[in-house]
Amino acid sequence: MQQERPFDLLNKVIGQKVFIRLKNGLSIRGKMSSFDAHMNIVLEEAEELSDGELKSKLGTILLRGGNIIFISPA
Amino acid sequence: MQQERPFDLLNKVIGQKVFIRLKNGLSIRGKMSSFDAHMNIVLEEAEELSDGELKSKLGTILLRGGNIIFISPA
Amino acid sequence: MQQERPFDLLNKVIGQKVFIRLKNGLSIRGKMSSFDAHMNIVLEEAEELSDGELKSKLGTILLRGGNIIFISPA
Amino acid sequence: MQQERPFDLLNKVIGQKVFIRLKNGLSIRGKMSSFDAHMNIVLEEAEELSDGELKSKLGTILLRGGNIIFISPA
Amino acid sequence: MQQERPFDLLNKVIGQKVFIRLKNGLSIRGKMSSFDAHMNIVLEEAEELSDGELKSKLGTILLRGGNIIFISPA
Amino acid sequence: MQQERPFDLLNKVIGQKVFIRLKNGLSIRGKMSSFDAHMNIVLEEAEELSDGELKSKLGTILLRGGNIIFISPA
Amino acid sequence: MQQERPFDLLNKVIGQKVFIRLKNGLSIRGKMSSFDAHMNIVLEEAEELSDGELKSKLGTILLRGGNIIFISPA
């Protein structure tokens, strides 16, 4: 019945901009470069957002999957 | 005795609208596209709700299962 | 010595009303439809309670076991 | 050297009254009916206590082991 | 190089008084009776302490290892 | 499709300065010396930052991976 | 490429003084006696520090690894 799996979405957005909501209340936006089975994600040109406003430029980051609430194509 | 398993409910609601209550106090509504054994879920046309009011439109999201309290057909 | 196991209680209450206390301080009441080894539970005609008062009608829900403090036949 | 294991205490108190301190600050008292390797416990005639005072009668409950700080024969 | 392992300390203090600091801010003192690989511990004549003062006598308890910050011979 | 994996970034920055945001709200900056599969990391000349200001010099540290939100080449 | 692993640092500091920052905001200083794969650590002559000031002398302690943010040779 089910033809896709959630991680297929991650494969599709490699090289594209994503928006990530974190458990600590902040959000991160950046270009997805790679991910693994724990949802650890490398983002390039990452930016930290607070209430939708740019808070700081982070450059390339490796984000631990356990901090993520959701990921969305930006 | 028991003929169904909890994940059967997820199979039944693929392609349908669901309401998801999260541990951080917010809720998300959207059309369920896929899920996996960790209850990671892809929703389309997702919307974030706060006290039942629309807070923001999220589009397609991949939600990590560990953030979920419950899922309900909307 | 021990003739029963805790999950036997869940088997006995399938099709019956249960009361579930959650870690977030709220409680849920509903008719237990199914469960699995992680204590994920499907409830029908579920209702959310706050201090014993009905807070909202949830309908059918899939509750993640990790949020549960205890389950009791209602 | 060590002749007993912690779970031996649980075996000894089956059918007896126990007092259980929970992580959420509350305590529960009841007659221990069964347990498993995750310290999930079924109590009969369970009562919820707050600061040593009876807060509510819970009847039979299945308590998830992960919520427990300690268990003591009452 | 390393000749001992941390759990050797637990073996040495069986039958002796130990002091245990818990994650919830409280401490427990008692005679260690047994332990397992999860650091679940049975204490006899256990006492709960708050800021070093006796708060309540607990008798025999089975303490879940996950609540422990550290254990010390008393 | 995906040619790199998130941990490849850690391999590339060995011997280089990294910036690490922690779950407790603080950040750490230092030269990455080694890491393992749990993202446990040894930093040399580590410094603790609060709101971007130097709070204390830590020297060589072994940081447990579970405390990390993200790591970035500094 | 990588010649050392994070746990090598622990091997090197056996018998030496270490400083350990804990998740609960406190810190501990002591002589490292042993450790295991969970980063459980036995310290001798351990002292609890609050804001860098000596708060209490703990003697020998077995510290559970899960409470640690970082360990540093003192």
Side-chain angles (χ1 to χ4, degrees):
Chain A
M1 237 165 298
Q2 189 182 4
Q3 290 158 329
E4 301 231 341
R5 286 286 167 186
F7 274 69
D8 295 342
L9 181 64
L10 297 182
N11 259 316
K12 280 187 210 151
V13 295
I14 283 187
Q16 294 179 30
K17 277 216 156 189
V18 295
F19 172 87
I20 300 178
R21 178 76 54 83
L22 301 181
K23 288 181 181 172
N24 71 353
L26 294 176
S27 301
I28 288 180
R29 198 167 43 193
K31 197 174 72 164
M32 199 165 84
S33 175
S34 66
F35 66 90
D36 64 21
H38 301 287
M39 241 185 256
N40 296 319
I41 287 179
V42 171
L43 295 176
E44 288 167 15
E45 299 162 33
E47 297 174 329
E48 191 176 4
L49 309 172
S50 177
D51 295 318
E53 301 286 312
L54 176 64
K55 204 181 147 196
S56 62
K57 300 205 171 202
L58 305 172
T60 300
I61 66 167
L62 164 50
L63 177 68
R64 276 179 69 94
N67 300 289
I68 295 173
I69 297 181
F70 66 78
I71 306 171
S72 172
Chain B
M1 239 165 297
Q2 190 182 2
Q3 291 158 327
E4 301 231 340
R5 287 286 167 186
F7 274 70
D8 295 341
L9 182 63
L10 297 183
N11 258 317
K12 279 186 209 151
V13 295
I14 283 187
Q16 295 179 30
K17 278 216 155 190
V18 294
F19 172 87
I20 301 178
R21 178 76 54 83
L22 301 181
K23 287 180 181 174
N24 70 352
L26 294 176
S27 301
I28 289 181
R29 199 167 45 193
K31 197 175 72 165
M32 199 164 84
S33 174
S34 65
F35 66 90
D36 64 22
H38 301 287
M39 242 185 255
N40 297 319
I41 288 178
V42 171
L43 295 177
E44 288 167 15
E45 300 162 33
E47 296 173 329
E48 191 176 4
L49 309 172
S50 178
D51 296 318
E53 301 287 312
L54 176 65
K55 204 181 146 196
S56 62
K57 300 204 171 202
L58 306 172
T60 300
I61 66 167
L62 164 51
L63 176 67
R64 275 179 69 93
N67 300 289
I68 295 173
I69 297 180
F70 66 78
I71 306 171
S72 172
Chain C
M1 238 164 295
Q2 190 183 0
Q3 291 158 328
E4 301 231 341
R5 287 287 167 186
F7 274 70
D8 295 343
L9 182 63
L10 297 183
N11 258 316
K12 279 186 209 151
V13 294
I14 284 187
Q16 294 179 30
K17 277 215 155 190
V18 294
F19 172 86
I20 300 179
R21 177 76 54 84
L22 300 181
K23 288 180 181 173
N24 71 353
L26 294 176
S27 301
I28 289 182
R29 198 167 44 193
K31 197 175 71 163
M32 198 164 84
S33 175
S34 65
F35 67 91
D36 63 23
H38 301 287
M39 241 184 254
N40 297 319
I41 287 177
V42 171
L43 295 176
E44 288 167 15
E45 299 162 34
E47 296 173 329
E48 191 176 3
L49 309 172
S50 178
D51 296 317
E53 301 287 312
L54 176 64
K55 205 182 145 196
S56 61
K57 300 204 171 202
L58 306 172
T60 300
I61 66 167
L62 164 52
L63 177 67
R64 275 179 70 93
N67 299 289
I68 295 172
I69 297 180
F70 66 77
I71 305 171
S72 172
Chain D
M1 237 164 297
Q2 189 183 2
Q3 290 158 328
E4 302 232 339
R5 288 286 167 187
F7 275 68
D8 295 343
L9 182 63
L10 297 183
N11 258 316
K12 279 186 208 152
V13 295
I14 284 187
Q16 294 179 30
K17 277 215 156 189
V18 294
F19 172 87
I20 300 179
R21 178 77 53 85
L22 300 182
K23 288 180 180 172
N24 72 352
L26 294 175
S27 301
I28 288 181
R29 198 166 45 193
K31 198 175 70 162
M32 198 164 85
S33 176
S34 65
F35 67 90
D36 63 23
H38 301 286
M39 241 184 254
N40 296 320
I41 287 178
V42 171
L43 296 177
E44 287 167 15
E45 299 162 34
E47 296 174 329
E48 191 176 4
L49 309 172
S50 178
D51 296 317
E53 300 287 312
L54 176 64
K55 205 181 145 197
S56 61
K57 300 205 171 202
L58 306 172
T60 299
I61 65 167
L62 163 51
L63 177 67
R64 275 180 70 94
N67 299 290
I68 295 172
I69 297 180
F70 67 78
I71 305 171
S72 172
Chain E
M1 237 165 297
Q2 189 183 4
Q3 290 158 329
E4 301 232 340
R5 287 285 166 187
F7 274 70
D8 295 343
L9 181 63
L10 297 182
N11 258 318
K12 279 185 209 151
V13 295
I14 284 186
Q16 294 179 29
K17 277 216 157 189
V18 295
F19 172 87
I20 300 179
R21 178 76 54 84
L22 300 182
K23 288 180 181 172
N24 71 353
L26 294 175
S27 301
I28 289 181
R29 198 166 45 193
K31 199 175 70 163
M32 197 163 85
S33 176
S34 66
F35 66 90
D36 63 22
H38 301 286
M39 241 184 255
N40 296 319
I41 288 178
V42 170
L43 296 177
E44 287 168 15
E45 299 162 35
E47 296 173 330
E48 190 176 4
L49 308 173
S50 178
D51 296 316
E53 301 288 312
L54 176 63
K55 204 180 145 197
S56 62
K57 302 206 170 200
L58 306 172
T60 300
I61 66 167
L62 164 51
L63 177 66
R64 275 180 70 95
N67 300 289
I68 295 172
I69 297 180
F70 66 78
I71 305 171
S72 172
Chain F
M1 237 164 298
Q2 189 183 3
Q3 290 158 329
E4 302 231 341
R5 287 285 166 187
F7 274 70
D8 295 341
L9 181 64
L10 297 182
N11 259 316
K12 280 187 208 151
V13 296
I14 284 187
Q16 294 179 31
K17 277 215 157 189
V18 294
F19 172 86
I20 300 178
R21 179 76 54 83
L22 300 181
K23 288 181 182 172
N24 71 352
L26 295 175
S27 301
I28 288 181
R29 199 166 42 193
K31 198 174 71 165
M32 198 164 85
S33 176
S34 66
F35 66 90
D36 64 21
H38 301 288
M39 242 185 255
N40 297 319
I41 287 178
V42 171
L43 296 176
E44 287 168 16
E45 300 162 34
E47 297 173 329
E48 191 176 3
L49 309 172
S50 178
D51 296 317
E53 302 286 312
L54 176 64
K55 205 181 145 195
S56 62
K57 301 205 172 204
L58 306 172
T60 299
I61 66 167
L62 164 51
L63 177 67
R64 275 179 69 94
N67 301 288
I68 295 173
I69 297 180
F70 67 79
I71 305 171
S72 172
Chain G
M1 236 166 296
Q2 188 183 4
Q3 290 157 329
E4 302 231 340
R5 287 284 166 187
F7 274 70
D8 295 342
L9 181 64
L10 297 182
N11 259 317
K12 279 187 208 150
V13 295
I14 284 187
Q16 295 179 30
K17 277 216 157 189
V18 295
F19 172 87
I20 300 178
R21 179 76 53 84
L22 300 182
K23 288 180 182 173
N24 72 352
L26 295 175
S27 301
I28 288 181
R29 199 166 43 194
K31 198 174 71 163
M32 198 164 84
S33 176
S34 66
F35 66 90
D36 63 23
H38 301 287
M39 241 184 254
N40 296 319
I41 288 177
V42 171
L43 296 176
E44 287 168 16
E45 299 162 34
E47 296 173 330
E48 190 176 5
L49 309 173
S50 178
D51 296 317
E53 301 287 311
L54 176 64
K55 205 181 144 195
S56 62
K57 301 204 171 203
L58 306 172
T60 299
I61 67 167
L62 164 51
L63 177 67
R64 275 179 70 94
N67 300 288
I68 295 173
I69 297 180
F70 66 79
I71 305 172
S72 172

